[in-house]
Amino acid sequence: MAASGARTAAIIGGGVIGGGWAARFALMGWNVRIHDTDRDAERRINEVIDRARAAMPGLWDVALPDEGRISFHDDLAEAVEGAEWIQESVPERLDLKHEIYAAIQGACTEAAIIGSSTSGFRPSELAEGATRPGQIVVAHPFNPVYLIPLVEVVTGPGTGTARIDRIRSTLRDIGAHPLFLRREIDAHIADRLLEAVWREALWLVSDGVADTAEIDDAIRYGFGLRWAQMGLFETYRIAGGEAGMRQFLTQFGPALKWPWSKLTDVPELTDELVETIASQSDAQSGRRSIAELERIRDANLVAILRGLKARDWGAGRLLNAAERRIGGAPRSLDALSLTSPLPTGARAVPLDWSDQNGHMTEHRYLQAFGDATDRFLALVGCDDDYIACGHSYFTAETHIRHLAEVRAGARIEIDTRLLLAEGRRLRIFHRMWEDSRLVATGEHMLVHVDLESRRAVMPPPELQDKLARVAKAHAHLPEPEGAGAAVGRPPERQPDPQE
Amino acid sequence: MAASGARTAAIIGGGVIGGGWAARFALMGWNVRIHDTDRDAERRINEVIDRARAAMPGLWDVALPDEGRISFHDDLAEAVEGAEWIQESVPERLDLKHEIYAAIQGACTEAAIIGSSTSGFRPSELAEGATRPGQIVVAHPFNPVYLIPLVEVVTGPGTGTARIDRIRSTLRDIGAHPLFLRREIDAHIADRLLEAVWREALWLVSDGVADTAEIDDAIRYGFGLRWAQMGLFETYRIAGGEAGMRQFLTQFGPALKWPWSKLTDVPELTDELVETIASQSDAQSGRRSIAELERIRDANLVAILRGLKARDWGAGRLLNAAERRIGGAPRSLDALSLTSPLPTGARAVPLDWSDQNGHMTEHRYLQAFGDATDRFLALVGCDDDYIACGHSYFTAETHIRHLAEVRAGARIEIDTRLLLAEGRRLRIFHRMWEDSRLVATGEHMLVHVDLESRRAVMPPPELQDKLARVAKAHAHLPEPEGAGAAVGRPPERQPDPQE
């Protein structure tokens, strides 16, 4: 845990936000000293850090540095002494913050950066009466701080370019994105937007148009999906079509004057403002055509939706419900002929399964085969209900042969041959087809396990009987080409793998 | 393509929205008849449908029904005759819409549902002067219609419960989520929220606080990520902590009165309104503790962020930039000892790599091995620059042995032994470790290919030389346990796989 020579951050004020900052610094290898007057702070902060340990390191495909040392300090001066970054996250009371800054500045170095997590105050308010006003800046994060990259930064006139450069590089070093405001304003940027939505949402509840769950659905099944990947202006640029933002403003500008919200103070869409917005949008997104932005947006949405589908949450939960209605896969052996391999999959290759060239990525073949294994097992009686009762099959071994490339969007089908059902073991052979073209095979050894002990155990007689029925029928099928092969050796040179 | 016996939808007015509706219906197996007076409509709609064909079917892990028949009709009556659902998406002019409804109602059945894609009009306005007012409802979708599930539905007093049931089931049948408004209101729900944000954003640009790109970043790096999976109220419920929504309203309620936006007409937070919101939030999310909601939120965010990382877009692009700064993986053979397998991976197992029980999913082992293969190749000179010049290695064959389970969050390391480098072929052997425990092995045959012709070709001499150097050194290492094995047969019974 200890990281000697590591950089040091001080966290003043715990809670969810302070704890989130502590986690982000520590997991990026910084030593973190925490000061909070609340006796419960240590427990609460440790809970946040535990959540961060579970979620944050896996964001990247490389290992993070060794975690820094986390310590709790009753004495504020001890916490901030020599710290490179000091983050204040105490309650939103200006008098309290002023008191804390005085104590911090009495003990920290001149070079230290003092960031405030304030949602609403401006740096000029925060730095009133401070010894070194330029040292105090707004660094406003978003919950959960260890996952959401945005940090709004607002500096004062005395901050200086050298310090600004260090703020930028430090926040990037801990995997955050510093968004520097051009000038100070109450509530910065994001909270102004949030506040606008929040007020409108309160009116909708107050007026009985929708309840909180319905308003949340309007967000997470709708524009929330868009905003996770493109913001307001880029989304509207697409809506405007090839003519872009000028077109959009001309088309939808008048709606601003309509009574579409309770909030009616509207900026005048002067020629100048239209020109400002349109040219900023050109600078932001103009190097890509609308068609290109649409393709990017669609691929992003598919990735987000499929990520949520795997978690069975939000819009992903809707997809799973629709999938059950679509059905498609046979659910019972009785409806199937056993004189040919069993149909265990038919699907389109999703956009998020492909590499930059549009070809299906290596591990997605195994994902498709894994789904086919699940369907095969369900057919022989090892379905969700069976698994819920405490037994299942685990894959012990896999052999994949890639025979032809498959592109995103292609419709593939999988059939499955049972090669062996003996005791605790099952050997199956999947074939993946695109039309009549065999594109890959997957051979798998599975073992029946007790999910409590995680050990191999015999399957019950009913399961053995069903497997024996399929095995007996499939024994009449020709040995599939490629079964029993080792990597790099042609299978025909092998002895009978079933021995 | 043709689907006899399929259900029929009519799309009146093309463009992006009409085209999106056409795509959603057709890809769910409906026959779709399109009427648009614009001569360019057919081209534009076909572009939308092509995008939908690439993106929508892959949302699900089962095959969709066969695509319905899509036809274009100059005659509106011909398009709507006998159609079960008629969707109007013409420009937002009430006189035009009234004219169209008259024509539709003159030709469609009484049972047909007439949905309007209107963003702003209420059903009572739409149905003014209509023959059968209850037949006309708002069905307001979101772009891209074929991916975003939300459809806001507003019915009139004459709609009737039977028709409402059919609206609900039909929209679900095409994979959409109908959100029924409790009463009609200008701009429904989502557009009121969007309008509030849009106005505030225009003020921010107009006042020079931020430009369009910065505002978009404030959304897509911040609350947009949250809103893709939980909405406003559920997110704030978490912020309120265990005490929930009442606590949040007490804590943050006063901020509503602060000058945090240009828009200051605020609903009074009476005891009654607080109670309404708090009890609605309890009904929405109360069956889960805050700690449970936090875990769910974190796992969802990891899935979304990693989805975006694979697309190198938005917050995912930030992750890739941070990963390059973190570094970690060795980039040159010169820094490495060749007397042991090469280090080709060190990482935490991400939350989105695990199943419901927290164990790493089968195909993610291959994803980790695939990444290790890429790092091995980069070390021997087949790096991004080399691949950009038109050659690479493709995986032809894979053999994975699962030796122990790995949990989400675990730190794993991979090392790689070169078993064979001969002509166009490479055979490598990965070992995956959690601490000193061997959890899986992956043996892979790779083939050097020309990315243009997609055919196997000889690697250039420089690459061959580097590979020979590693192969020569690795030949002194003991044969790794498990190399050369076929599925289900102990490797020690095999002849030397290198022959």
Side-chain angles (χ1 to χ4, degrees):
Chain A
M1 286 273 287
S4 65
R7 301 164 76 180
T8 298
I11 303 299
I12 309 303
V16 170
I17 297 298
W21 276 106
R24 192 179 266 283
F25 276 110
L27 288 169
M28 281 296 191
W30 289 53
N31 290 331
V32 175
R33 303 199 206 117
I34 301 167
H35 167 79
D36 194 307
T37 52
D38 186 338
R39 309 188 60 186
D40 201 29
E42 187 163 343
R43 180 191 63 79
R44 285 186 292 121
I45 288 180
N46 280 330
E47 280 176 11
V48 177
I49 294 174
D50 279 344
R51 277 203 303 277
R53 285 190 185 113
M56 181 178 152
L59 287 178
W60 290 277
D61 295 301
V62 297
L64 296 186
D66 286 339
E67 188 177 315
R69 191 172 42 238
I70 298 168
S71 53
F72 291 85
H73 301 261
D74 287 336
D75 181 17
L76 183 144
E78 185 184 286
V80 305
E81 193 190 339
E84 189 178 328
W85 187 290
I86 299 154
Q87 185 69 24
E88 168 273 306
S89 310
V90 304
E92 293 285 70
R93 279 173 36 214
L94 206 47
D95 57 337
L96 177 65
K97 288 182 191 278
H98 287 159
E99 222 174 273
I100 299 250
Y101 298 145
I104 292 173
Q105 292 197 317
C108 75
T109 65
E110 277 197 48
I113 291 155
I114 303 175
S116 172
S117 301
T118 181
S119 302
F121 292 117
R122 311 169 179 221
S124 58
E125 296 166 313
L126 297 176
E128 270 163 21
T131 324
R132 299 180 294 271
Q135 189 170 26
I136 300 167
V137 302
V138 169
H140 175 233
F142 294 79
N143 192 30
V145 180
Y146 48 84
L147 292 179
I148 302 284
L150 181 67
V151 176
E152 293 177 316
V153 180
V154 199
T155 58
T159 308
T161 54
R163 195 183 295 269
I164 286 172
D165 287 345
R166 280 197 298 123
I167 292 168
R168 180 179 285 111
S169 65
T170 302
L171 288 172
R172 285 198 178 147
D173 286 345
I174 58 169
H177 176 80
L179 179 64
F180 284 81
L181 265 71
R182 287 151 190 261
R183 62 183 189 76
E184 63 171 37
I185 178 175
D186 292 322
H188 330 314
I189 297 172
D191 277 357
R192 291 186 80 87
L193 303 176
L194 284 169
E195 193 72 7
V197 172
W198 176 236
R199 288 175 192 210
E200 192 67 34
L202 291 178
W203 275 121
L204 288 169
V205 173
S206 177
D207 293 349
V209 177
D211 68 17
T212 61
E214 290 161 343
I215 291 170
D216 279 1
D217 286 349
I219 294 172
R220 69 193 184 131
Y221 299 155
F223 60 85
L225 295 166
R226 297 198 300 219
W227 283 0
Q229 43 96 38
M230 290 180 182
L232 186 69
F233 289 96
E234 198 159 47
T235 300
Y236 286 162
R237 183 183 180 90
I238 294 178
E242 280 302 336
M245 208 63 204
R246 275 170 199 83
Q247 160 68 14
F248 178 81
L249 290 169
T250 311
Q251 192 177 341
F252 294 99
L256 278 172
K257 301 284 188 190
W258 299 350
W260 277 15
S261 87
K262 290 274 182 179
L263 315 158
T264 48
D265 188 10
V266 177
E268 201 63 48
L269 271 187
T270 58
D271 286 353
E272 199 190 335
L273 180 55
V274 168
E275 183 51 34
T276 300
I277 293 171
S279 58
Q280 287 179 358
S281 174
D282 286 347
Q284 176 186 356
S285 319
R287 68 192 179 286
R288 292 194 172 86
S289 71
I290 298 297
E292 201 180 345
L293 286 172
E294 284 171 322
R295 277 193 302 275
I296 291 168
R297 174 202 63 192
D298 285 4
N300 293 341
L301 286 172
V302 170
I304 290 168
L305 286 164
R306 288 196 49 89
L308 291 170
K309 181 174 190 289
R311 312 256 25 121
D312 196 29
W313 186 266
R317 198 171 171 84
L318 298 179
L319 289 174
N320 285 327
E323 186 165 299
R324 284 190 293 275
R325 281 191 294 272
I326 294 165
R331 290 169 178 274
S332 159
L333 269 191
D334 302 329
L336 294 169
S337 156
L338 297 186
T339 59
S340 55
L342 299 171
T344 51
R347 62 167 308 136
V349 175
L351 280 179
D352 71 321
W353 282 21
S354 67
D355 58 24
Q356 300 296 342
N357 298 316
H359 295 278
M360 184 151 90
T361 312
E362 193 176 351
H363 70 279
R364 300 301 188 174
Y365 287 83
L366 183 50
Q367 184 168 359
F369 284 140
D371 290 348
T373 299
D374 290 345
R375 292 211 184 93
F376 171 82
L377 291 172
L379 281 173
V380 295
C382 178
D383 53 16
D384 290 345
D385 291 341
Y386 181 83
I387 294 167
C389 292
H391 290 85
S392 186
Y393 277 92
F394 282 179
T395 302
E397 241 182 303
T398 286
H399 179 241
I400 296 171
R401 297 181 310 149
H402 298 275
L403 306 174
E405 291 185 85
V406 181
R407 296 188 69 86
R411 183 173 163 141
I412 53 174
E413 301 198 9
I414 297 176
D415 60 33
T416 304
R417 160 94 189 266
L418 176 58
L419 294 175
L420 172 88
E422 202 175 74
R424 294 167 291 201
R425 304 199 307 168
L426 267 190
R427 196 155 65 87
I428 57 177
F429 193 88
H430 299 304
R431 296 183 298 181
M432 185 187 293
W433 303 88
E434 183 183 1
D435 298 319
S436 60
R437 197 169 60 115
L438 184 65
V439 294
T441 66
E443 185 178 353
H444 307 268
M445 179 66 79
L446 310 173
V447 180
H448 187 261
V449 293
D450 180 324
L451 290 171
E452 184 66 34
S453 68
R454 317 299 280 187
R455 316 203 83 152
V457 294
M458 284 295 288
E462 316 84 77
L463 196 49
Q464 290 190 42
D465 289 349
K466 267 199 181 169
L467 286 165
R469 211 177 111 208
V470 179
K472 194 178 157 197
H474 282 192
H476 296 291
L477 298 173
E479 179 76 4
E481 193 269 314
V487 168
R489 277 181 311 166
E492 61 273 19
R493 294 166 66 187
Q494 303 303 313
D496 175 14
Q498 295 200 42
E499 301 165 284
Chain B
M1 289 270 286
S4 65
R7 301 163 75 178
T8 299
I11 303 299
I12 310 302
V16 170
I17 297 297
W21 276 107
R24 193 178 264 284
F25 276 109
L27 288 169
M28 281 295 190
W30 289 53
N31 290 332
V32 176
R33 304 199 207 117
I34 302 167
H35 167 79
D36 193 308
T37 52
D38 186 340
R39 308 189 59 185
D40 201 29
E42 185 162 345
R43 181 190 62 79
R44 285 186 292 122
I45 288 180
N46 280 329
E47 281 176 11
V48 177
I49 294 174
D50 279 345
R51 279 202 304 277
R53 284 189 185 114
M56 181 177 152
L59 288 178
W60 291 276
D61 295 301
V62 297
L64 296 186
D66 286 340
E67 188 177 317
R69 191 172 43 238
I70 298 168
S71 54
F72 292 85
H73 302 261
D74 288 336
D75 181 17
L76 182 143
E78 184 184 284
V80 305
E81 194 191 338
E84 191 179 328
W85 186 289
I86 299 155
Q87 185 68 25
E88 168 272 307
S89 311
V90 304
E92 293 284 70
R93 278 173 38 215
L94 206 48
D95 58 336
L96 177 64
K97 288 182 191 277
H98 286 158
E99 220 173 274
I100 299 249
Y101 298 146
I104 291 173
Q105 292 196 317
C108 76
T109 65
E110 277 197 50
I113 292 156
I114 304 174
S116 172
S117 299
T118 182
S119 303
F121 292 117
R122 310 169 179 219
S124 59
E125 295 166 313
L126 297 176
E128 271 163 20
T131 324
R132 297 180 294 271
Q135 187 171 29
I136 301 168
V137 301
V138 170
H140 175 233
F142 293 79
N143 192 30
V145 179
Y146 48 85
L147 292 180
I148 303 283
L150 182 67
V151 176
E152 292 177 316
V153 180
V154 199
T155 58
T159 307
T161 54
R163 196 184 295 270
I164 287 173
D165 288 345
R166 279 198 296 125
I167 293 168
R168 180 178 286 113
S169 65
T170 301
L171 288 172
R172 286 197 178 148
D173 286 344
I174 59 170
H177 176 80
L179 178 63
F180 283 82
L181 267 71
R182 286 151 191 262
R183 62 182 188 77
E184 64 171 36
I185 179 176
D186 291 323
H188 329 314
I189 297 172
D191 276 358
R192 291 186 80 87
L193 304 174
L194 285 168
E195 192 73 8
V197 173
W198 177 236
R199 288 173 192 210
E200 192 67 35
L202 291 178
W203 276 121
L204 288 169
V205 173
S206 178
D207 292 348
V209 177
D211 68 17
T212 62
E214 289 160 345
I215 292 170
D216 278 359
D217 286 350
I219 295 172
R220 69 193 183 130
Y221 298 155
F223 61 85
L225 294 167
R226 297 198 300 218
W227 284 359
Q229 42 98 37
M230 290 180 183
L232 186 68
F233 288 96
E234 198 159 48
T235 300
Y236 285 164
R237 182 185 181 89
I238 294 178
E242 281 302 335
M245 209 62 205
R246 275 171 201 84
Q247 161 68 12
F248 179 81
L249 289 169
T250 311
Q251 192 177 341
F252 295 100
L256 278 172
K257 301 283 187 188
W258 301 350
W260 278 16
S261 88
K262 289 276 183 180
L263 314 160
T264 48
D265 187 9
V266 177
E268 203 61 50
L269 271 187
T270 57
D271 287 353
E272 197 191 336
L273 181 54
V274 168
E275 183 49 36
T276 300
I277 293 171
S279 57
Q280 287 178 359
S281 174
D282 286 347
Q284 177 185 356
S285 319
R287 69 193 178 285
R288 293 193 172 85
S289 71
I290 299 297
E292 200 181 344
L293 286 171
E294 283 171 323
R295 279 193 301 275
I296 291 169
R297 173 202 64 193
D298 285 5
N300 293 340
L301 286 172
V302 169
I304 291 168
L305 286 164
R306 288 196 49 87
L308 290 170
K309 180 174 191 289
R311 312 255 27 122
D312 196 30
W313 186 265
R317 198 173 172 84
L318 298 179
L319 288 174
N320 285 328
E323 184 164 300
R324 284 190 294 275
R325 281 191 296 272
I326 295 165
R331 292 169 176 275
S332 157
L333 269 191
D334 302 329
L336 294 170
S337 156
L338 296 186
T339 59
S340 56
L342 299 170
T344 50
R347 62 166 307 134
V349 175
L351 282 179
D352 72 319
W353 282 21
S354 67
D355 58 24
Q356 299 297 340
N357 298 317
H359 295 278
M360 184 153 91
T361 312
E362 191 176 352
H363 69 277
R364 301 300 187 175
Y365 287 82
L366 183 49
Q367 183 168 359
F369 284 140
D371 290 349
T373 298
D374 290 345
R375 293 211 183 91
F376 171 83
L377 291 172
L379 282 172
V380 295
C382 177
D383 55 13
D384 290 346
D385 291 343
Y386 181 82
I387 293 167
C389 293
H391 290 85
S392 188
Y393 277 92
F394 282 178
T395 303
E397 240 181 303
T398 285
H399 180 241
I400 296 170
R401 296 181 312 148
H402 299 276
L403 306 174
E405 291 186 83
V406 182
R407 297 189 68 86
R411 183 170 163 143
I412 54 173
E413 300 198 10
I414 297 175
D415 61 31
T416 304
R417 160 95 189 266
L418 177 57
L419 295 175
L420 171 88
E422 202 176 73
R424 295 167 291 201
R425 303 200 307 168
L426 267 190
R427 194 156 66 87
I428 58 177
F429 192 87
H430 300 303
R431 295 182 301 180
M432 184 188 293
W433 304 88
E434 184 184 1
D435 299 319
S436 61
R437 196 168 60 114
L438 184 64
V439 294
T441 67
E443 184 178 354
H444 306 269
M445 179 65 78
L446 311 173
V447 180
H448 188 262
V449 293
D450 180 323
L451 289 172
E452 184 67 35
S453 68
R454 316 298 279 188
R455 316 202 83 153
V457 295
M458 284 296 287
E462 317 84 78
L463 196 49
Q464 289 188 44
D465 289 350
K466 269 201 180 167
L467 285 166
R469 213 177 109 208
V470 178
K472 194 177 160 199
H474 281 193
H476 296 291
L477 298 174
E479 179 77 3
E481 193 271 313
V487 168
R489 275 181 308 164
E492 61 272 20
R493 295 167 65 187
Q494 302 305 312
D496 174 16
Q498 293 199 46
E499 302 166 285

